[in-house]
Amino acid sequence: MIEVRGLGVTFPGGVAPVLRDVDLDVPPGEQVLVLAGSGAGKSTLLRVLAGIVPQVVDAHVTGRVRVAGLDATTTPTADLARHVATLTQDPTDQLCLPTVLDEVAFALENRGVDPALIGPAVDRTLSAVGAAHLRDRRTAELSGGEGQRVALAAALVADPKVLLLDEPTALLDPAAARAVAGAVRAAAGSGRSAVLVEHRLDELGQLPGRVLVLDPDGRVRATGPTLQVLHEDAPALARLGTWLPLSAELVAAGVDRIGDLTVTATPRAPAGPTVLSARALRVRRDGRTVVDGLDLDVRAGRVTAVVGLNGSGKSSLLLGLAGLLPVEGTVRGGSVGLVFQHPEHQLLARTVRDEVAWGPRRARLGGVDERVSGALESYRLTGFEDRDPFRLSGGQQRRLSLAAMAVCGHDVLLADEPTFGQDRATSVACAEALRALADEGRGVVLVTHDLRLVGEVADDVLVLHAGRALAHGPVDAVLADDAVLRGAGLPLPPVLAAWRRTGHPVRATLQALRRAGLAVPA
Amino acid sequence: MNRRRISLSELVLLAVLAVVSGFVYWALVQAWIALQIAMGPFGDLAQNVLIGGWMVAAPLALYIVRRPGAGIVVELVAALVEVAFLASPVGPMLLVVGLVQGAGAELGFALTRYRRYDWSVFVLSGALAGLASTVLGMVRFGWLTQDWFAWRLGLQVASGILLCGIAAKVIGDALARTGVLDNTALGRARRQDPATPAPVP
Amino acid sequence: MTGLGQALPHDSVLHRRNPTVKLAVFLVVSLVLLVPVDPWTPLALLLLALPAVACAGRIPLPVLGRAALLFGPFACSLLAVNAVTRDGPVVADVAGLQATSTGLAIGVALALRTVLVGTLAVAFSLTTDGARLMTSLHQHARLGARPTFAVLAGYRVLEDLPQRWTTIRQAQSVRDPRHRAGRLPRDPASLARAAFALLVVALRQGERMAIAMETRGLGSGPRTVHRPVALDRRDAVFAVVVLSVCGLVVLASWRAGVLRTWSTV
Ligand SMILES: Nc1ncnc2c1ncn2[C@@H]1O[C@H](COP(=O)(O)OP(=O)(O)OP(=O)(O)O)[C@@H](O)[C@H]1O
Ligand SMILES: Nc1ncnc2c1ncn2[C@@H]1O[C@H](COP(=O)(O)OP(=O)(O)OP(=O)(O)O)[C@@H](O)[C@H]1O
Ligand SMILES: [Mg+2]
Ligand SMILES: [Mg+2]
């Protein structure tokens, strides 16, 4: 169904190719998982298969690419789409029409399907992805998770022979991610070929049968049966920074069970003075109460994680704390910085250097140049000083927005989903940066769907459910509390489920797992 | 000049430009009302001062897409967006307004057969757009028989040059630096032009 | 409050008319209205139009009134400027400026025309769904599939714009260590920076949407429409009635000798 030989891709202006000499065969009915670090070319590979690169996006492409019997590099994208369905990386930007009904019907209309048959097909597909209740909604009003399901239905509705999915669960809470992963599995089951890029492997449940691993320089590193490849190559993959399923991580760490790791307890962060204190906080949006009666103390030197389902009010809480939304109740404390969910929204200068220097200059702080070069160094952005911030990759933009906020010297830093869409290595780098800010004596609040990240950096956890605090306490206690997690609708990832049986502190355990994975020679 | 059929991404780019300018035009209307009040008895000249801002999408679209007709299309779409989605009180007349203003801006580029994109062409295009919309004002509001006609003409042309022509080049260059225009004629031209530094990988 | 580009959520005669026909009729009426520059013709049409759109569109009068506030200032300034900038017999001296009777008449005419067109425009947008208009233009005005859906993609961008605008301004304002809680900066430099970011983000979104539409087969051949917009004889009746009323009023004012055009003032 898919046959790729010697594929090379170079983007104009890029010095090095993004993909080199890639071979890939996907017979009918088979599914392949593509695994690689950030920026290794996963999305580019899918875009070549979908006929987007080089026809819509300029690039120099070499080699042979046949998809459903057609040459994907020359067949017009729209014609190729008669056999191929694509879900691209940013799901909310795939919804192009005003209503869900029109959105899902769109692909059938474009194929000239008899209008009488379109309605039933739309209903069938929406039910198949668990979105039947969204049929009469407007697309602009869908939440992230709902939008992702509708986008999946819109891709599946025309019964494609080939399915290309790029991180279909990126923005979802753990429960929604599992539901969408289930829908993807069901859709891919019935004789369709599928190529899937996904970071959150533990959320997938059952992994596709075969895997293709790319090196950072865009070459094929390994290909074969998923578990076999991942287990054989586990230590090297861990070092490359790709996400791995728990079983492969244990292989990389050289142990059978998490309990076998040697865990050295790290000292608990001392709680400093309270730097931000909210009492009976209530936030309304559009007349609806989305955060209700919340008490929160942020202490210097500690990281507080906020978790909850999509739409539970996490971002609204941060906006309220930062004074950007009107609130009822009181918020007292020092100056507050906020790192927004989408870094693009926060960029305002024309070079990376100016971007970081912006805050210190405004505050008339001394030694701006030293501060800037120090921050560029610690957030691994040296070499990009003169680049336009919009030209950075997503991961680099994310680090830039953290750096630009960190140099301002706020007492409290709030971060909204700082690691979404990042590979394992950059995600850890972000986590360490936040930890370092706390260790400097600032208060840090972190919103995330990644419960493992919570275990790795947080001291305290606030669990939100429909705008109310369901629990608030030390990370070990909250993550071990079944009633709270069930009440919040948050399933634990396998690695945390396994940690609970060890009896060690969660941060120390996860650190030990990572260190052991990096220590074993490849 | 590009002879391929206009691509979907170019069409969507024109639509997005039209939408954002429709949204900004709406903001400009607020500025216009404020300026109208601030200028007291000369309030009606406020529209002549700001007119260029209402037309900037046309030379910007031509700069980016570099196809005959792009300036007219983007103004027509902007008008359609304002009528269909933003409830403009001018109504479908805006389609005529957009057509005339787009054609004025387009003329400057057509005279160079869509080959040159330096400052002089933008100045010319802006001036012609200001002129075209003056002609329209003569038909709609009888400007020619008013006392202030010379003032209006001068303001319209100056505003066209500054807020339409020159602003389009400034915005286009700034956008190109960010990389969002890499897959457009403007992005391709900048890559081939050795004067602009190649983007670092 | 209805959302951008959405009709009032009830049904009416105007709601049910074909959007393309409505747009075309309205365009013709606007063009015809360019001709008369005497106060009587637009006044007569306005007196007919107000009750007509209120009934046929079931639009509450307060809603129409509130909309009038939008184009009120422009109508007033047209009246004022024309009164004092045209040659003719002087009827008043206002702060050193001389108002002429010719100028006053033209000013009233242009102001009434603005109010009339504004009323029709409000009636149009309150009874027309923007997305259905695009579908109808595709079906009935031979607007190509790709331009149609490009505009609809633009509509999606537009729906997101107000929220994005706020988010971007909030996100940029916290970058300033001196920012004060609860206030977004309004100085021109901050607004320009936010507008630029908005444009970049919207263009990115547009590029992704174009790719998404292409990968779902837009433009690969003849397509069908799953929820077509109706076009029937009642739309023809609507067009004939509106255009003839308009024509009759102009004719009547000509016969009555009150009609003026730019060449006869
Ligand atoms: N249109 C483009 N022009 C220039 N460079 C590009 C373009 N698209 C991608 N790149 C570059 O190609 C490389 C691979 O990008 P790609 O999006 O395929 O990576 P990825 O593996 O999907 O990463 P991620 O996990 O962050 O999504 C990156 O360095 C990126 O900056
Ligand atoms: N601008 C807005 N106007 C009105 N309601 C909003 C707005 N933004 C969010 N909401 C609503 O407020 C509630 C809380 O939204 P919020 O963005 O705080 O959730 P969240 O927990 O951050 O979700 P996610 O995990 O998806 O980011 C949701 O029901 C959402 O629909
Ligand atoms: Mg990617
Ligand atoms: Mg959020």
Side-chain angles (χ1 to χ4, degrees):
Chain A
M1 196 54 48
I2 297 176
E3 188 190 335
V4 177
R5 286 288 169 275
L7 171 67
V9 177
T10 311
F11 285 109
V15 204
V18 171
L19 292 175
R20 305 169 205 241
D21 205 19
V22 172
D23 294 341
L24 171 66
D25 284 289
V26 187
E30 193 168 72
Q31 296 164 49
V32 175
L33 173 71
V34 179
L35 214 54
S38 190
K42 304 179 294 294
S43 300
T44 305
L45 175 61
L46 290 200
R47 291 172 136 211
V48 171
L49 296 178
I52 300 164
V53 171
Q55 297 186 68
V56 182
V57 172
D58 296 349
H60 178 65
V61 175
T62 55
R64 213 161 71 91
V65 184
R66 294 194 78 76
V67 176
L70 299 166
D71 183 344
T73 57
T74 54
T75 312
T77 314
D79 296 340
L80 198 63
R82 295 189 164 266
H83 313 285
V84 181
T86 313
L87 197 63
T88 55
Q89 195 161 351
D90 214 323
T92 44
D93 287 352
Q94 326 221 350
L95 304 177
C96 314
L97 297 176
T99 65
V100 169
L101 209 54
D102 290 341
E103 187 70 40
V104 181
F106 184 61
L108 295 176
E109 293 180 331
N110 290 332
R111 283 175 175 75
V113 173
D114 178 359
L117 302 177
I118 292 183
V122 167
D123 289 341
R124 216 169 33 240
T125 319
L126 280 173
S127 310
V129 301
H133 60 291
L134 302 175
R135 184 178 180 278
D136 298 311
R137 297 271 292 275
R138 290 183 69 82
T139 39
E141 291 161 4
L142 299 179
S143 79
E146 293 169 340
Q148 214 142 13
R149 285 183 205 219
V150 171
L152 184 63
L156 290 176
V157 70
D159 199 15
K161 289 188 210 142
V162 177
L163 199 52
L164 307 170
L165 304 165
D166 200 348
E167 300 191 34
T169 66
L171 277 169
L172 302 184
D173 64 56
R178 282 172 199 220
V180 166
V184 166
R185 213 171 27 249
S190 42
R192 267 185 208 120
S193 308
V195 181
L196 170 71
V197 174
E198 184 55 274
H199 282 320
R200 303 169 71 179
L201 302 180
D202 281 336
E203 236 79 83
L204 278 183
Q206 191 192 343
L207 294 178
R210 274 195 338 123
V211 70
L212 173 79
V213 185
L214 295 175
D215 263 339
D217 68 353
R219 277 180 221 281
V220 175
R221 175 182 186 90
T223 176
T226 305
L227 287 182
Q228 186 189 331
V229 168
L230 295 187
H231 287 184
E232 274 171 9
D233 208 14
L237 291 175
R239 233 184 318 258
L240 277 182
T242 60
W243 291 96
L244 291 174
L246 177 61
S247 62
E249 271 190 277
L250 290 175
V251 174
V255 292
D256 291 333
R257 290 177 304 121
I258 273 202
D260 299 345
L261 291 164
T262 33
V263 176
T264 43
T266 44
R268 270 173 64 92
T274 300
V275 282
L276 189 72
S277 156
R279 287 288 169 272
L281 190 70
R282 181 197 288 252
V283 181
R284 288 174 191 275
R285 302 190 95 163
D286 274 357
R288 223 153 43 84
T289 303
V290 295
V291 175
D292 200 3
L294 208 79
D295 296 335
L296 179 67
D297 283 315
V298 182
R299 317 286 292 266
R302 286 177 78 88
V303 177
T304 306
V306 182
V307 298
L309 296 182
N310 288 122
S312 56
K314 304 181 296 295
S315 301
S316 308
L317 170 64
L318 293 197
L319 289 171
L321 289 176
L324 293 171
L325 280 181
V327 297
E328 293 163 36
T330 58
V331 181
R332 281 209 193 83
S335 66
V336 179
L338 171 56
V339 182
F340 274 63
Q341 189 161 339
H342 291 283
E344 281 182 344
H345 289 157
Q346 210 154 13
L347 302 175
L348 36 67
R350 295 276 61 82
T351 66
V352 167
R353 186 186 292 113
D354 287 344
E355 192 72 54
V356 182
W358 176 267
R361 278 191 198 138
R362 282 258 151 165
R364 310 234 157 79
L365 298 180
V368 172
D369 289 344
E370 294 84 79
R371 278 171 196 270
V372 170
S373 51
L376 291 177
E377 186 99 28
S378 50
Y379 288 87
R380 296 198 278 146
L381 288 166
T382 29
F384 298 104
E385 289 87 348
D386 296 313
R387 188 93 71 96
D388 192 292
F390 284 111
R391 268 194 190 272
L392 298 178
S393 78
Q396 292 162 344
Q397 273 185 357
R398 175 41 87 195
R399 297 204 298 278
L400 175 61
S401 63
L402 278 169
M405 201 50 83
V407 291
C408 291
H410 291 290
D411 302 320
V412 185
L413 195 89
L414 315 174
D416 203 349
E417 315 230 11
T419 63
F420 100 87
Q422 308 274 331
D423 67 16
R424 179 85 183 113
T426 44
S427 163
V428 167
C430 284
E432 280 171 353
L434 291 174
R435 189 70 246 169
L437 287 173
D439 293 343
E440 275 173 27
R442 323 237 200 129
V444 175
V445 180
L446 157 78
V447 163
T448 184
H449 288 306
D450 183 355
L451 293 178
R452 175 175 189 162
L453 179 75
V454 172
E456 277 171 344
V457 290
D459 302 297
D460 301 299
V461 182
L462 170 66
V463 182
L464 276 187
H465 186 66
R468 291 179 166 278
L470 207 60
H472 185 193
V475 60
D476 290 280
V478 173
L479 289 182
D481 190 334
D482 276 323
V484 164
L485 294 172
R486 211 173 316 111
L490 296 173
L492 275 188
V495 65
L496 290 184
W499 150 75
R500 294 214 330 206
R501 293 190 291 272
T502 64
H504 293 301
V506 61
R507 189 189 311 163
T509 311
L510 293 174
Q511 262 173 13
L513 178 62
R514 196 168 93 240
R515 294 225 179 89
L518 296 179
V520 177
Chain B
M1 197 158 85
N2 198 334
R3 288 183 196 287
R4 264 188 322 153
R5 186 170 78 138
I6 189 161
S7 70
L8 181 65
S9 33
E10 283 170 321
L11 281 169
V12 175
L13 182 131
L14 292 181
V16 172
L17 275 184
V19 159
V20 178
S21 47
F23 186 71
V24 174
Y25 291 176
W26 178 83
L28 206 55
V29 169
Q30 318 298 311
W32 169 42
I33 292 173
L35 188 63
Q36 213 170 26
I37 293 164
M39 285 169 70
F42 303 100
D44 197 56
L45 292 182
Q47 58 172 313
N48 307 111
V49 173
L50 294 175
I51 185 73
W54 273 292
M55 308 185 293
V56 64
L60 183 56
L62 283 160
Y63 188 31
I64 296 173
V65 175
R66 309 200 166 182
R67 281 176 186 281
I72 293 179
V73 168
V74 78
E75 287 288 334
L76 280 179
V77 173
L80 195 57
V81 165
E82 285 181 74
V83 176
F85 303 120
L86 287 173
S88 162
V90 185
M93 213 22 225
L94 269 180
L95 293 171
V96 178
V97 176
L99 183 72
V100 171
Q101 296 181 343
E106 181 109 20
L107 193 58
F109 291 88
L111 288 176
T112 64
R113 306 183 51 208
Y114 302 92
R115 285 199 187 130
R116 281 179 45 198
Y117 294 91
D118 49 32
W119 290 102
S120 57
V121 183
F122 283 90
V123 169
L124 178 66
S125 161
L128 289 172
L131 209 59
S133 83
T134 311
V135 173
L136 192 66
M138 284 154 58
V139 176
R140 282 175 79 196
F141 306 116
W143 283 350
L144 188 58
T145 48
Q146 283 181 346
D147 297 347
W148 296 345
F149 182 66
W151 270 104
R152 287 202 198 266
L153 182 65
L155 283 175
Q156 294 253 101
V157 171
S159 173
I161 291 175
L162 270 176
L163 297 184
C164 172
I166 291 184
K169 179 143 171 80
V170 171
I171 298 173
D173 286 339
L175 283 177
R177 270 183 54 96
T178 68
V180 278
L181 301 180
D182 279 359
N183 297 309
T184 65
L186 171 59
R188 286 179 207 121
R190 280 171 69 99
R191 282 201 293 274
Q192 276 152 17
D193 179 4
T196 49
V200 200
Chain C
M1 201 30 221
T2 53
L4 290 175
Q6 285 170 260
L8 286 179
H10 61 249
D11 186 39
S12 79
V13 177
L14 277 188
H15 278 80
R16 270 173 270 139
R17 290 292 67 76
N18 180 285
T20 303
V21 172
K22 259 192 287 186
L23 186 74
V25 167
F26 189 1
L27 183 60
V28 172
V29 171
S30 305
L31 288 174
V32 169
L33 281 174
L34 286 182
V35 176
V37 291
D38 61 274
W40 303 109
T41 320
L43 180 65
L45 282 169
L46 184 62
L47 290 178
L48 288 172
L50 269 177
V53 298
C55 292
R58 291 181 45 217
I59 304 171
L61 284 175
V63 175
L64 275 179
R66 233 173 302 142
L69 290 180
L70 268 177
F71 38 84
F74 183 54
C76 293
S77 95
L78 270 177
L79 172 58
V81 74
N82 279 287
V84 300
T85 58
R86 292 188 184 276
D87 296 335
V90 177
V91 289
D93 220 321
V94 197
L97 292 166
Q98 291 172 337
T100 64
S101 60
T102 324
L104 217 50
I106 293 181
V108 172
L110 294 184
L112 282 172
R113 182 211 282 171
T114 304
V115 175
L116 172 59
V117 171
T119 307
L120 295 179
V122 168
F124 176 80
S125 54
L126 288 181
T127 61
T128 312
D129 184 277
R132 298 298 280 168
L133 168 64
M134 293 314 300
T135 310
S136 168
L137 287 176
H138 174 42
Q139 272 180 267
H140 306 125
R142 294 169 172 262
L143 186 63
R146 295 178 325 141
T148 302
F149 286 95
V151 174
L152 282 174
Y155 178 38
R156 280 279 301 135
V157 173
L158 180 71
E159 283 191 298
D160 290 348
L161 274 187
Q163 180 62 43
R164 278 209 183 176
W165 175 243
T166 317
T167 307
I168 287 175
R169 289 182 64 204
Q170 288 175 335
Q172 298 194 341
S173 79
V174 288
R175 291 285 309 280
D176 188 342
R178 297 174 307 174
H179 96 274
R180 274 179 292 160
R183 300 217 15 200
L184 290 179
R186 307 183 64 119
D187 59 297
S190 301
L191 291 177
R193 272 192 298 271
F196 186 73
L198 185 75
L199 185 54
V200 172
V201 171
L203 286 170
R204 277 257 152 80
Q205 185 187 1
E207 186 177 27
R208 293 187 190 129
M209 286 201 299
I211 289 175
M213 291 197 288
E214 206 137 23
T215 56
R216 286 192 275 146
L218 179 62
S220 71
R223 67 191 304 281
T224 47
V225 177
H226 121 90
R227 283 195 304 158
V229 180
L231 173 65
D232 55 30
R233 203 183 296 138
R234 280 167 297 182
D235 295 306
V237 172
F238 166 78
V240 169
V241 168
V242 174
L243 293 178
S244 11
V245 168
C246 190
L248 283 175
V249 169
V250 175
L251 193 69
S253 79
W254 176 60
R255 297 298 295 268
V258 293
L259 184 71
R260 294 280 177 279
T261 65
W262 287 125
S263 48
T264 60
V265 287

